[in-house]
Amino acid sequence: MHRILIAEDEERIASFVRKGLSANGFTTTVVSDGRGAIDHACAGGTDLLILDLGLPDMDGFAVLRAIRDARVAIPVIILTARDSVRDTVAGLEGGADDYVTKPFRFEELLARVRLRLRGSDHAVEPTVLAAEGLSLDLRTRRARVGDQTVDLTAREFTLLELFLRHPGQVLSREQILSHVWGYDFDPGSNIVDVYVRALRRKLGADRITTVRGMGYAVGR
Ligand code: CA
């Protein structure tokens, strides 16, 4: 199991990332300042660092320099505000592997995490997910129902991918919202229902089960 260190001082974002990664089978540690990040990363046992640039005691670049100077070679993914992408590119030259701009969707971060960890353990990611007579090709981003190919919009694809990565599991609206739309989305929104309806129209009404008072599931 991979151990991920999250260095983020904004509690809402730290908890969003931690919950999402735990739900996907990662072990997580959260630190809220740069000193803690350096100490943890240098102590060993961390497989990947998610590093916020704006930490209270020092900026993320200083953290990055310190851990690279200490010869810690773990992959580092920087979290940064959209308006400081220019700095971030400098950060990549300074030893980071990737960056994600805030606000971000969880799936976006998860994809980067998986990509950066792939080199280290050669785990083969499936390219086709399937359940309930449905399949989804992650390369072509097309779904199939029986022998019929179905084109999906980007959001529909992400939503179906989420269901197929958790077959048989009931996903709450809140879980779906944070995975597909991100933490900045209004929790009172009915957008999840709207997209589930759209997927049902394309894939067949009975593929996605409504579990009353709980949420939705595929393969249940
Ligand atoms: Ca911050």
Side-chain angles (χ1 to χ4, degrees):
M1 194 188 289
H2 287 295
R3 281 154 302 183
I4 299 183
L5 178 61
I6 303 160
E8 169 62 77
D9 60 318
E10 210 176 314
E11 215 169 288
R12 184 177 62 125
I13 299 178
S15 120
F16 166 76
V17 172
R18 181 181 53 75
K19 282 187 200 153
L21 289 173
S22 307
N24 281 278
F26 295 99
T27 303
T28 56
T29 304
V30 175
V31 292
S32 58
D33 60 18
R35 193 66 251 167
I38 295 169
D39 289 347
H40 255 89
C42 293
T46 297
D47 297 307
L48 182 143
L49 167 62
I50 295 175
L51 177 63
D52 177 33
L53 279 190
L55 292 170
D57 55 340
M58 60 176 83
D59 76 28
F61 294 129
V63 173
L64 190 56
R65 265 195 308 277
I67 70 167
R68 292 306 187 217
D69 284 350
R71 303 257 175 268
V72 174
I74 53 170
V76 175
I77 299 175
I78 283 180
L79 298 181
T80 184
R82 216 172 278 281
D83 55 7
S84 48
V85 166
R86 195 195 298 255
D87 300 345
T88 308
V89 173
L92 292 178
E93 283 158 12
D97 299 278
D98 210 341
Y99 69 93
V100 173
T101 55
K102 293 178 180 179
F104 56 89
R105 292 178 300 109
F106 181 74
E107 291 297 317
E108 196 183 329
L109 177 64
L110 181 62
R112 304 301 174 90
V113 167
R114 288 198 166 120
L115 185 69
R116 295 301 153 193
L117 288 173
R118 195 176 301 167
S120 60
D121 70 356
H122 307 288
V124 181
E125 261 268 280
T127 52
V128 177
L129 302 173
E132 196 74 4
L134 293 172
S135 67
L136 184 66
D137 189 318
L138 300 177
R139 286 165 310 181
T140 64
R141 304 177 78 83
R142 281 211 173 115
R144 287 182 81 82
V145 184
D147 54 5
Q148 211 180 339
T149 302
V150 181
D151 284 316
L152 300 174
T153 66
R155 289 281 199 224
E156 290 167 355
F157 170 85
T158 308
L159 178 56
L160 184 58
E161 181 186 2
L162 179 65
F163 279 126
L164 293 180
R165 282 194 187 276
H166 302 88
Q169 196 177 319
V170 181
L171 302 172
S172 70
R173 282 180 181 74
E174 192 192 21
Q175 280 174 313
I176 296 171
L177 202 55
S178 77
H179 271 76
V180 181
W181 281 271
Y183 54 86
D184 269 354
F185 222 85
D186 171 16
S189 161
N190 70 341
I191 190 129
V192 171
D193 310 277
V194 171
Y195 272 80
V196 165
R197 271 204 297 281
L199 274 184
R200 281 177 171 155
R201 267 199 303 277
K202 290 188 174 180
L203 306 171
D206 52 351
R207 310 272 176 191
I208 304 172
T209 310
T210 303
V211 183
R212 269 189 72 177
M214 292 175 70
Y216 295 107
V218 165
R220 201 177 143 87

